[in-house]
Amino acid sequence: MTDHLVLTRPDDWHLHLRDGPVLSTVVPHSARQFARAIVMPNLVPPVTTTAAALAYRERILDAVPGGLSFDPLMTLYLTDNMAVEQIARASDSGHVLACKLYPAGATTNSDRGVTDIRNIHGVLEAMERHDMVLCVHGEVTDPRVDVFDREAVFIERVLQPLVRDFPALRVVFEHITTADAVHFVRDAPNTVAATITPQHLMYNRNALFQGGLRPHHYCLPVLKRERHRAALLEAATGGSGRYFLGTDSAPHARNAKEAECGCAGCYSGYHALELYVAAFEAAGALHALEGFASHFGADFYGLSRNTDTVELERASHVVPAAFPFDGDELVPLAAGDTLTWRLVT
Ligand code: DOR
Ligand code: ZN
């Protein structure tokens, strides 16, 4: 049995770091594992300009512990009235790699997102010209659509037409949760890829209700049936360059999660790599981890692969119950559970 793993240092292609004092909690966790991360722009107010993205990037860099190198790759939040000129400016900055499409109302801080994709056709054309990546939260917000079907319906209503209308636009279908999404990406042109989170590889929707309501397993898109988890695991471990690591680590204070109307988001930033290793090992696919975690995302984004490495060893340890979080607490995914692999610092 393998007891040591050495991997090309991975990158996180979908990460929420928030802003302000909590950066000092979450940035060191990610920087310990990952060389780079695509940083989500759903702050309050959202990051809609290159100037705001560059200033946010500096605040993140200020929270990187000495001795670690971490490159935050920034994104802009698309709104109905984003000016087309923003795209050239973002592309010229060298630090803004992508724009994020949040359907308005789909998830945390998405109120200012896009109400109708037709409102951003000009922006998408500019992104195509500047070869900028579009990151997509793929769920419809139509209240008539069952919450468990929102991703599948989004594929039909939005993604298929989008890929047809913008054939050169690179699209990352973020945090996919269904077999439908796996098949869509598999059959789409090679301009389309997807990220997969640790929680969607580890759990099915039973985890939301195990012995009671489990707010720390609630994220969006919500966990799905076992057959969907199995399809995601097969995609992640199958060696295709179209699926790669994106944690969607989304920190919220304990009070905001354990509430009458709790926030969506799982905090995996502390131990993401160890969680992915456990999921891949359980599937008998440790050999496929390095491509998924360290190669395919960089290749899709057109960046060089990292040249340094990280090391993991087989060693039991318990996931901490919580971290300090700006006067409150941050509960990590799988808090209190025992993990079998540990990142060697
Ligand atoms: O669970 C989620 N949390 N899904 C998202 O799309 C957003 C994220 C957040 O920002 O909290
Ligand atoms: Zn996210």
Side-chain angles (χ1 to χ4, degrees), residues 46-55 74-77 82 86 89-90 96:
V47 179
T48 54
T49 66
T50 297
L54 296 181
M74 307 310 290
T75 61
L76 296 187
Y77 181 113
M82 154 91 77
Q86 281 287 345
R89 208 170 298 149
V96 180

Side-chain angles (χ1 to χ4, degrees), residues 14-16 40 42 100 102 137 174-175 220 248-250:
H14 184 125
L15 178 63
H16 299 267
M40 288 295 127
N42 60 335
K100 177 69 187 266
Y102 285 108
H137 183 107
E174 299 288 351
H175 43 56
L220 285 171
D248 197 20
S249 175

Side-chain angles (χ1 to χ4, degrees), residues 52-102:
L54 296 181
Y56 180 33
R57 183 169 185 275
E58 290 304 317
R59 296 193 294 280
I60 296 166
L61 288 173
D62 285 345
V64 177
L68 292 180
S69 101
F70 181 68
D71 187 6
L73 310 173
M74 307 310 290
T75 61
L76 296 187
Y77 181 113
L78 295 175
T79 64
D80 279 344
N81 44 26
M82 154 91 77
V84 171
E85 304 78 64
Q86 281 287 345
I87 299 305
R89 208 170 298 149
S91 169
D92 289 348
S93 78
H95 292 299
V96 180
L97 272 73
C99 293
K100 177 69 187 266
L101 168 61
Y102 285 108

